[in-house]
Amino acid sequence: MTHFNPNDPDRDTVIVEPAAYSETTETVVVRESNTGWWIAGILGGLVLIAVMVILFNRQAPQTDDQLLAAEVAAAQAEADARQATVAGQIAGAQASVEVARANAARAEAEARAAEARAAEPVVIEREVAPAAPTPEGPAVVTTTTPQQ
């Protein structure tokens, strides 16, 4: 690139060299692969086998007898569930009665204890006869008496 100002005679001409330019070419080699086709073929085969298994393993349509038996079984299960619910409610009521009885017994015991604390103490006096002397006489203990 050259810069020249024609209006300024004192100025010299400035010459700027262009930068070096190089060009690089890259070559990419793409090889064809058929792996994707193999995967797609295997998956398609698996899907086909699955469809055939589903079609050949179908059950026979249910008959009216089978439907009736299923309805009877469902009704029996519902009746059993209701019976279990009632039994649970009865057991809960019995447990509540037992808890109420236990609370009443505890309250009665506490009332008796409070009554006993409030009452005046009873002093029982009785005469006690002195112990009769032994036929040998009174016992004498010395340091030389054998100990058993």
Side-chain angles (χ1 to χ4, degrees):
M1 177 171 166
T2 306
H3 177 71
F4 177 73
N5 187 354
N7 296 328
D8 188 10
D10 294 336
R11 260 204 152 140
D12 292 334
T13 304
V14 177
I15 299 174
V16 177
E17 295 290 325
Y21 176 73
S22 65
E23 185 174 320
T24 305
T25 304
E26 289 185 21
T27 305
V28 177
V29 177
V30 177
R31 295 184 183 178
E32 289 187 26
S33 173
N34 56 1
T35 305
W37 288 108
W38 276 101
I39 292 172
I42 291 172
L43 288 176
L46 289 174
V47 168
L48 184 62
I49 290 172
V51 168
M52 290 176 65
V53 166
I54 290 171
L55 289 177
F56 290 123
N57 286 337
R58 276 186 165 177
Q59 294 180 355
Q62 291 184 344
T63 61
D64 290 336
D65 293 336
Q66 290 174 335
L67 289 175
L68 184 60
E71 288 175 0
V72 168
Q76 182 64 38
E78 185 177 345
D80 291 343
R82 287 183 182 173
Q83 184 179 6
T85 302
V86 169
Q89 290 173 348
I90 290 172
Q94 288 173 344
S96 297
V97 168
E98 293 301 321
V99 167
R101 286 181 183 162
N103 287 340
R106 183 181 48 82
E108 185 179 344
E110 287 176 359
R112 285 184 187 163
E115 183 180 324
R117 276 187 244 116
E120 292 185 27
V122 176
V123 178
I124 299 175
E125 295 180 13
R126 62 182 171 151
E127 270 187 49
V128 178
T134 59
E136 302 170 358
V140 178
V141 179
T142 63
T143 57
T144 59
T145 305
Q147 302 291 319
Q148 292 181 359

